[in-house]
Amino acid sequence: MDCYTANWNPLGEEAFYRKFELYTMEWGLKEDLRDCLVAAAPYGGPIALLKNNARKEKSPSTRPLLEIYSASGLLLASIPWKSGQLVQLGWTASEDLLCIQEDGTVLIYNLFCEFKRHFSMGNEVLQNHVLEAKVFHTEYGTGVAILTGAHRFSLTTNIDDLKLRRMPEVPGLQKPPSCWAVLTQDRVTIVLLAVGQDLYLLDNTSCSVVTPPGMSPSAGAYLQMAVSFNYRCLALFTDTGYIWMGLATLKDKLCEFNSTIRSPPKQMVWCTRPRSRQRAVVVAWDRQLMVAGDSTECIRAGLQPPATFFPRALSGRHRFVLDEDSYLVPEPDGVRILSRTSHEFLHEIPEASQEIFKIASMAPGALLLEAQKEYEKESQKADEYLREIKDQKLLPEAVSQCIEAAGYEHEPETQKSLLRAASFGKCFIDKFPPESFVRMCQDLRVLNSIRDYQIGIPLTFTQYKRLTVEVLLDRLVLRRLYPLAIRICEYLRLPEIQGVSRILAHWACYKVQQKDKSDEEVAYAINQKLGDTPGISYSEIAARAYDCGRTELAIKLLEYEPRSGEQVPLLLKMKRSKLALSKAIESGDTDLVYTVVLHLKNELNRGTFFMTLQNQPVALSLYRQFCKHQERETLKDLYNQDDNHQELGNFHVHSSYSEKRIEGRVGALQNAVDEYYKAKNEFAAKATEDQIKLLRLQRHLQEDFDKPYLDLSLHNTVSTLIQDGHHKKAEQLYRDFKIPDKRYWWLKISALATRGDWEEMEKFSKSKKSPIGYLPFVEIAVKHHNRYEAKKYAPRVTPEQRVKAFILVGDLEQAADAAIEHKNEAEMNLVLSKCSAATDSAVMEKLNRARAQLLKK
Amino acid sequence: MASTARRDAPEPPDFGILKRLARDQLIYLLEQLPGRKDLFIEPDLMSPLDRIANVSVLKHEVDKLYRVENRPAPSTSDQLCFLVRPRVRTMRYIADIVNADKMSGRSRKYKIIFSPQKFYACEMVLEEEGVFGDVTCDEWSFYLLPLDEDIISMELPEFFRDYFLEGDHRWINSVARALQLLNSLYGPFSRVYGIGRCAKMSYELWRDLEEESENDGQGRKPEIGNIFLMDRDMDYVTALCSQVVYEGLVDDTFRIKCGSVDFGPEVTSSDKSIKVLLNAQDKIFSQIRNEHFSSVFGFLSQKSRNLQAQYDRRQGMDIKQMKNFVSQELKGLKQEHRLLSLHIGACESIMKKKTKQDFQEMIKVEHALLEGFDIRESTSFIEEHIDRQVSPIESLRLMCLLSITENGLIPKDYRSLKTQYLQSYGPEHLLTFHNLKRIGLLTEQAAGETLTAVESRVSKLVTDRAAGKITDAFNSLAKKSNFRAISKKLSLIPRVDGEYNLKMPPDMAYVFSGAYTPLSCKIVEQVLERRGWQGLEEVVRLLNGNEFAMADGAPEDGAGGDAQRVVVAVFLGGCTFSEIAALRFLGKERGCRFIFLTTAITSSARMMEAMAEAKA
């Protein structure tokens, strides 16, 4: 532990930088990195290499080879490159590989070298070619910028929502700029380029010349520029070896440094830590590496010197060894350095670590660490250290420091000793909230497991927090590391829907692509694993299966989908319309049924379509309803298809209503008659025939009497005839239509009464014995306020109803007589109730007497 | 009542929030079309709208209001907004307007607001008419309109015909959504009961919706504990009987529309019509609405004497007392006086119509039909009723009542009654009869070949997995009403010695003068009493099954507070005021509160009219 700070290198007064190895690269690379196109994704992402990309060699044996490695150098996939000449490789934020070709085509591969899609950077490029390209990340997503042979810039800020922007021309630009970079400011993406000693800023509309503040006038021509990870800082390197560091807005200078190296650097990247005040850039030449910041000194690494360790106090010049051709990968909190044999990380030591590990540090964390060590040695010094911290009341701070510092360490041993110290210190504090400690233990466990070289994601704690666990899980899923992802979810107790379910769904989507297994096996395996896990959409998995051309598997998977609504669209897409129809009906969602029905209507021929509907009453009813209002002719076809003569008959009757002309109506009704006969519905057929007969007759009547008869019912027709005095005609209808006697008598007397033809009524009453009795005559006359006439009929009423009849005509005396004659008490009471004491005393007396007599017996 | 202390029924929950929600959403939707606009409203949305919002709300940047009708719109506004029911007919009306504008080269903005929801079929029509791209659509989820403190209506009278006759399942989704809404505001309901295909489908769909929304109502105190869903076709008999409780009579006579009634000149004894809101706020009405008509008049005259007495107190007053009287009591008295005279007027008008010999005889026939004696005489009565053209709707109703109580008419009567009917009321009713046959209201007693064929077809469908959800339009054909057997099983005809006491009724049968206990209400009573369907297996079989009962962690007896004594009775296809009165009575007896949720208030006349085939 004494030599813990051995790889620390100071820069200026306060900052230390260290470089340590993440992995020994086992990729057995024969080529020099400088001969390959390299792209490494940030956040410990994969590395893409294109070998043999040199333009000249065209022999087939040396065809370019595209390889993708994990950060630990494990080969993930490789393909021979058969497409056009590549200019640049780059990674998207979702770890897809972008291959930018000379002709402006951008091909997108996933990290298993599987082609996903492609797009073009515009037609202009076809002739001019792409000279250089850069991939950049903004809040809009991943962008691509290109420099064409005509020295024009084009860019898109989001490749998923492709909008090409051609940047304005740089006046007088005859040769490619010496260096350029993409910046984003206030959500606008701009290009900064350097030509000789001039800097140009290209925004959407204009090109302007800019001068960085505080730039030494003798600085010389720009050779290289670097933008920090967060686009906030900019560094410029000139041919005098001068480095300007400032804000990307070019409004402020932060510092400058003179490297005295005049050759153009191969790479220059920022190396800063979030929330750190230190600014530094790492500059790499072929055999040299230098960290330069706000200090007159810098840290250098070169090939020649043997020494790897310089005592800190010895010299202002500190070096990192760089004995191989290297490639720098900027990260938000440092720089990764790739070479043929190793993969290292260079970063500024965070404050907490500095406090604890700095030689002779008296910071509370440092003391706590010491205390814990002494405690393990069972030395009483432990108590002294502890007392010292407690005296300053800094124990909580000490614990927090240890916890924080543990996060910055890659070595599990160091992590453990720091956490042990924290745990030890915690014991002496009342109510120290445990969350931070627990959280850190969990996070480190996750980080250590993904840093394993088999997995090969060397995330630092800071990066992990920025990336979030959800994105990390996505990345594991992308690498098809499903078991690890699930274990992490379970370990962190993530809610199922965000965690396990999501990963299982991804797994299932991958599983359906396995062509070597039968549909049954795959479906079974998926259902076994997924079961009814909440948040799983079987329809999505099925859709994926269908996309891979496995329709049967898709159908099997859909069976597991509990929501029918989700099944239908996919079934339709797979042309399983009938299945879709029954699923739609099952869902109870009529809109869904309509969707399928309409789809079927267009897809099938009419006959098959109707047949399908016949077997689905619910769908049929719905479609019928629709046709009733929207396409009545279809309705007819529908019934025809089914030989539904009854409904066809109804249909014709219905359409007869809309016929204006009598002939039309008769025609339609005649059709109905035919159908009704076919349906063996004689009643309806007869009734309709009668209606035709009536219609024809009504037309004649209308012509003869010049009065509207059409649309009257038979009853009303006859009634009208009688009211108008056409008794003969009425008689004829009565016979022709076999109107029942009772009805005819009711009809006739009420019509006659309405007409006031009492004479005719009397004649009629005497024509033969009334089938309805004579009470109706009385009633109708009374109703028309003709008591005189009513009285004529009262005596003819049958004895049972006579009392009622006399009451109706108001002849209480006769009513009383009838009641007495019947010896009916109820009738007597009825009559009595109608009597008034003033006028009918005689009748009342008679009745009371009779009643008394009746009661006596 | 028995020794157990009778508990007062809990107060109904406050349903005002339903109105507020609907109003706020409507305003929001109207604001989605900024600027001045003309608003077209579907006629049958007018009254519901009236009940939740006043004109000032509607005037929200609205210049003119129009009714959606079969006439071209004279509107000159550049923005048209349509507030409509999701009907094909209306879509064509709108499409015609849009197309006419296109022809004349006029460009306007059109927005359609569907209530309560949009149907795909509507979009299909708009698309076929070529205007889908020209209009924007929105949904106004106005599912529930509280008509009274205990009545919520979906105001969907077409539900009855669409579902039971046409086999159209569209509205089930709306019912499920309505239930979801109610559950989210006043639930969670811990007990769910139901009977009928539609009830079951609605319930299942509602369940699915609840699962999808993942909105668990845990932690909220429920205000409603129980819900009972029932299809109208479980009990057509009750709906077909003449109503004799006051509210039912007012509905049968004057037609209550959306909770209010227009009393014509014969009631108001002036030359004007007066629109009166009929609900619990009306102090007079609330006391007589559930009473048998025979007791109403007595109550009203008593009331008017009391009122007179209160007025008469003026006589002995000094100035100060008089001042008090005028400022405090007079207004209330006057209001009461006004209502009293209106109801007395209504009573007189009803009496004039109903106390005629005809009505008495009709009631007698109805009772005979319900009890199943003197069938021949009743048949002749109906025949005479038809011959004399008393009323087409009434004749039809009596025919249906005869058919359904007798399990269909004997073939001879079936033919002759229909012939008589066609002769009396016009041949177009041929189609009406067809509809009535399909729905099972007017059928022929015949176990012929056709029946078994249909049955085998239905049973074939039953093997299908989806069978549980299929309502075959033909099914009703095969379905027998079994009324007589059910009536015996549930003792629907009360056996009373002596006069049935209508003033202090012993049971729910009072709503039909003590002659018949409404079947629907009896089922509700029995199921609630038994906490399920145990012991009712035979009845369920006779009703064609599809019963269900679900208790979701329902608290045991006594626990759960008042909510467990609140029951929503859902009538799919409409419920009558008689049924409402009967259940209110039951609630009072059992100390529980019934809330009525219906697709619409119905009556025998409305049901018959729904079956009639429109001539156009």
Side-chain angles (χ1 to χ4, degrees), chain A residues 497 559 563-564 582-583 585-592 594-596 598 601 614-618 620-626 628-631 639 642 644 646-647 649-651 653-654 657-658 665 676 681-685 687-688 690-691 694 711-716 719 737-740 742-743 746-747 779 804, chain B residues 88-89 92 117-122 124-125 127-129 161-162 166-173 177 205 208 212 214 357 361 380 383-384 386-389 414-416 418-431 433-435 437-438 457 460-461 464-466 469-474 613-616:
Chain A
I497 290 173
E559 283 299 315
R563 293 162 296 171
S564 338
S582 42
K583 292 283 177 201
I585 290 167
E586 220 175 287
S587 77
D589 182 347
T590 48
D591 277 1
L592 214 51
Y594 268 128
T595 317
V596 182
L598 191 71
K601 188 179 156 196
Q614 294 300 347
N615 296 322
Q616 296 287 4
V618 173
L620 183 61
S621 311
L622 282 172
Y623 187 59
R624 227 187 256 146
Q625 280 284 80
F626 178 71
K628 258 182 201 168
H629 296 291
Q630 184 68 358
E631 21 183 299
Y639 294 137
D642 198 26
N644 192 341
Q646 174 66 39
E647 286 293 356
N650 293 349
F651 176 83
V653 170
H654 216 284
Y657 297 147
S658 48
R665 285 177 67 175
Y676 283 140
N681 187 343
E682 287 191 20
F683 175 82
T688 314
D690 279 352
Q691 199 196 339
L694 184 64
D711 286 330
L712 293 182
S713 71
L714 178 62
H715 187 111
N716 292 349
S719 178
F737 285 91
K738 298 196 183 78
I739 296 177
K742 277 189 181 175
R743 170 194 291 282
W746 275 114
L747 185 162
E779 283 173 343
K804 198 174 160 193
Chain B
V88 171
R89 204 174 52 235
R92 295 187 38 186
Q117 64 184 114
K118 183 172 68 184
F119 287 129
Y120 183 64
C122 295
M124 247 159 81
V125 174
E127 205 175 319
E128 282 186 7
E129 302 286 328
R161 183 179 165 121
D162 280 353
E166 313 278 8
D168 179 343
H169 288 187
R170 279 180 307 160
W171 296 115
I172 293 178
N173 194 276
R177 281 172 197 277
L205 202 57
D208 289 351
E212 269 168 45
E214 293 163 26
Q357 204 72 5
E361 261 169 59
S380 326
E383 200 168 353
E384 194 185 308
I386 297 169
D387 284 353
R388 294 174 58 189
Q389 289 185 308
Y414 184 58
R415 286 170 150 263
S416 76
K418 282 203 300 184
T419 313
Q420 298 300 317
Y421 194 92
L422 294 179
Q423 288 190 355
S424 271
Y425 302 118
E428 66 273 14
H429 288 288
L430 192 62
L431 300 183
F433 286 127
H434 180 73
N435 290 343
K437 184 174 171 184
R438 252 178 53 176
R457 191 162 173 183
K460 203 176 79 204
L461 291 168
D464 196 278
R465 201 183 136 198
K469 301 190 174 186
I470 286 180
T471 322
D472 188 5
F474 300 95
E613 201 63 48
K615 235 185 165 183

Side-chain angles (χ1 to χ4, degrees), chain A residues 333-440:
Chain A
D333 59 341
V335 178
R336 282 191 290 144
I337 305 167
L338 272 175
S339 74
R340 248 171 26 179
T341 54
S342 79
H343 189 169
E344 295 170 301
F345 187 62
L346 166 64
H347 73 139
E348 186 208 335
I349 312 271
E351 207 170 345
S353 306
Q354 258 194 56
E355 294 264 284
I356 292 176
F357 292 114
K358 209 156 60 180
I359 288 171
S361 166
M362 292 298 278
L367 291 175
L368 182 60
L369 188 63
E370 272 318 299
Q372 198 273 335
K373 274 182 205 152
E374 295 300 331
Y375 170 75
E376 254 172 37
K377 283 188 237 159
E378 298 179 5
S379 150
Q380 87 283 0
K381 275 191 188 159
D383 185 51
E384 284 171 26
Y385 284 126
L386 209 53
R387 228 175 262 284
E388 201 173 330
I389 314 171
K390 277 175 97 175
D391 287 348
Q392 301 175 66
K393 298 209 169 55
L394 286 174
L395 196 50
E397 214 178 314
V399 174
S400 302
Q401 248 175 18
C402 285
I403 293 174
E404 195 194 333
Y408 299 125
E409 295 305 317
H410 266 236
E411 278 304 312
E413 273 314 310
T414 324
Q415 294 166 0
K416 275 188 208 163
S417 68
L418 284 165
L419 287 173
R420 243 182 259 127
S423 160
F424 175 71
K426 238 153 53 81
C427 302
F428 302 94
I429 311 175
D430 276 346
K431 296 190 186 124
F432 183 84
E435 291 83 12
S436 59
F437 182 78
V438 175
R439 195 73 235 173
M440 181 55 79

Side-chain angles (χ1 to χ4, degrees), chain B residues 138-149:
Chain B
D138 251 316
E139 286 184 342
W140 181 31
S141 357
F142 178 34
Y143 290 99
L144 299 170
L145 170 68
L147 289 182
D148 203 342
E149 57 172 24

Side-chain angles (χ1 to χ4, degrees), chain B residues 454-568:
Chain B
V454 169
E455 254 163 350
S456 75
R457 191 162 173 183
V458 171
S459 66
K460 203 176 79 204
L461 291 168
V462 170
T463 54
D464 196 278
R465 201 183 136 198
K469 301 190 174 186
I470 286 180
T471 322
D472 188 5
F474 300 95
N475 190 38
S476 46
L477 259 184
K479 209 176 86 184
K480 288 184 179 173
S481 74
N482 297 321
F483 176 73
R484 204 69 67 211
I486 296 169
S487 168
K488 202 171 282 170
K489 204 86 206 157
L490 290 173
S491 336
L492 296 181
I493 313 295
R495 299 270 160 260
V496 212
D497 299 324
E499 272 297 273
Y500 187 94
N501 186 350
L502 287 172
K503 290 232 154 52
M504 294 284 288
D507 55 30
M508 293 191 286
Y510 91 92
V511 300
F512 293 114
S513 312
Y516 161 68
T517 314
L519 168 59
S520 49
C521 306
K522 189 76 179 180
I523 297 175
V524 173
E525 178 206 77
Q526 289 294 311
V527 171
L528 289 180
E529 200 164 85
R530 291 160 200 263
R531 294 266 162 105
W533 297 93
Q534 291 83 18
L536 296 173
E537 290 81 4
E538 183 61 16
V539 177
V540 165
R541 197 185 60 77
L542 291 168
L543 283 170
N544 256 350
N546 284 311
E547 83 287 2
F548 55 92
M550 224 61 68
D552 261 11
E556 283 312 298
D557 257 349
D562 283 352
Q564 292 312 313
R565 291 189 288 130
V566 180
V567 185
V568 184

Side-chain angles (χ1 to χ4, degrees), chain B residues 340-359:
Chain B
L340 195 58
S341 62
L342 274 177
H343 286 296
I344 290 174
C347 269
E348 277 170 353
S349 186
I350 292 170
M351 291 271 261
K352 230 179 259 168
K353 280 178 189 149
K354 299 292 181 182
T355 51
K356 278 198 221 136
Q357 204 72 5
D358 290 359
F359 186 69

